[in-house]
Amino acid sequence: MTVVTEQRFGEFVAVRRHEGQEHVAELVLDRPKAMNAVSTEMARSIAAACEALGADPGVRAVVLTSSHERAFCVGADLKERNSFSDADLVRQRPVARAAYTGVLELPVPVVAAVHGFALGGGFELALACDVIVADRTAVVGLPEVSVGVIPGGGGTQLLPRRVGAARAAELVFTARRVEAAEARELGLVDELVEAGRDREAALALGARIAANSPVGLRAAKRALRLGQGLDLRAGLEVEDAAWRSVAFSGDRAEGVAAFNEKRTPDWPGE
């Protein structure tokens, strides 16, 4: 797949666009010497990249990938944190949170491409995505209690929303690592592909998503996210508000016209 443009955000994060996929942005974790361990600098870069992607009206889908052959992301940079004072850790906390919430709050669908280790904050970055594609080398888990902390990048909230409270509790309390086949069985990942194909499959899924209405995609994601945890009546009100935001849009008019004229829609994106 040919990279058309690459924009760097600091030393450790890149955003790439590919030929024929102008509406899909690949957000690359690119700190291979540390297996993408999230340092303070890398956290700032993830947040900055997500801010730029969220503000780009041409982006319809984001695919989160890794440049390391054997890891998606091994979590927080514990070597860096080993040198921290308590005051340093307090100062870093909002920086770290901004990286995870940056991915979580992207207004367009986000697909994670996971291979190798996705542990701790690395798995939390994947959990912040809407869909997780993993290959058969993937090993995921939230081992934070084994080093005296808790999942602090959204794991205690996002994991039970995926797999239920009891299963999430077992995984967090034991700090165990889960290999690819079991991860798929438990719902920790959504699609399992052959080794080495996670990025290819995730980008293909991103392209299928990006073929649809940008207005519809953003509204659908908003309804899905805001409706989580609400009772049915409240959730349906969230859905109705999202429907009203698209029902009178140019995308809706174009979509209906294209359907009746048996052609591919040319989305105005408004």
Side-chain angles (χ1 to χ4, degrees), residues 45 99 156 164 177 215 229 240 245 251 255 262 266 270:
S45 296
T156 66
R177 299 180 179 190
V215 171
D240 186 65
S245 75
D251 273 14
K262 296 180 173 57
D266 181 16
E270 58 185 21

Side-chain angles (χ1 to χ4, degrees), residues 74-85:
V74 294
D77 186 342
L78 297 185
K79 289 183 179 180
E80 179 189 60
R81 288 195 181 179
N82 192 46
S83 67
F84 278 7
S85 66

Side-chain angles (χ1 to χ4, degrees), residues 101-132:
T101 57
V103 176
L104 184 65
E105 293 178 359
L106 279 166
V108 298
V110 186
V111 181
V114 173
H115 60 266
F117 298 112
L119 301 172
F123 188 40
E124 288 174 303
L125 286 172
L127 289 172
C129 300
D130 300 291
V131 181
I132 302 174

Side-chain angles (χ1 to χ4, degrees), residues 47-204:
C50 289
E51 183 178 4
L53 288 169
D56 187 340
V59 174
R60 299 180 191 173
V62 173
V63 179
L64 180 61
T65 70
S66 161
S67 66
H68 195 282
E69 292 182 357
R70 294 186 296 109
F72 175 73
C73 173
V74 294
D77 186 342
L78 297 185
K79 289 183 179 180
E80 179 189 60
R81 288 195 181 179
N82 192 46
S83 67
F84 278 7
S85 66
D86 288 352
D88 291 332
L89 193 59
V90 169
R91 281 192 292 270
Q92 192 213 34
R93 178 60 177 163
V95 178
R97 285 195 71 187
Y100 298 106
T101 57
V103 176
L104 184 65
E105 293 178 359
L106 279 166
V108 298
V110 186
V111 181
V114 173
H115 60 266
F117 298 112
L119 301 172
F123 188 40
E124 288 174 303
L125 286 172
L127 289 172
C129 300
D130 300 291
V131 181
I132 302 174
V133 176
D135 81 359
R136 294 189 180 278
T137 70
V139 178
V140 305
L142 297 175
E144 283 88 345
V145 298
S146 69
V147 293
V149 291
I150 70 165
T156 66
Q157 304 306 304
L158 294 170
L159 187 59
R161 284 169 166 78
R162 269 189 164 268
V163 299
R167 178 63 68 193
E170 181 264 321
L171 292 166
V172 170
F173 295 159
T174 63
R176 72 183 179 94
R177 299 180 179 190
V178 183
E179 295 188 359
E182 185 185 4
R184 176 66 184 88
E185 182 181 340
L186 297 179
L188 299 174
V189 304
D190 302 302
E191 183 178 344
L192 191 59
V193 298
E194 294 304 314
R197 291 198 60 245
D198 56 294
R199 177 175 173 271
E200 173 191 345
L203 285 168

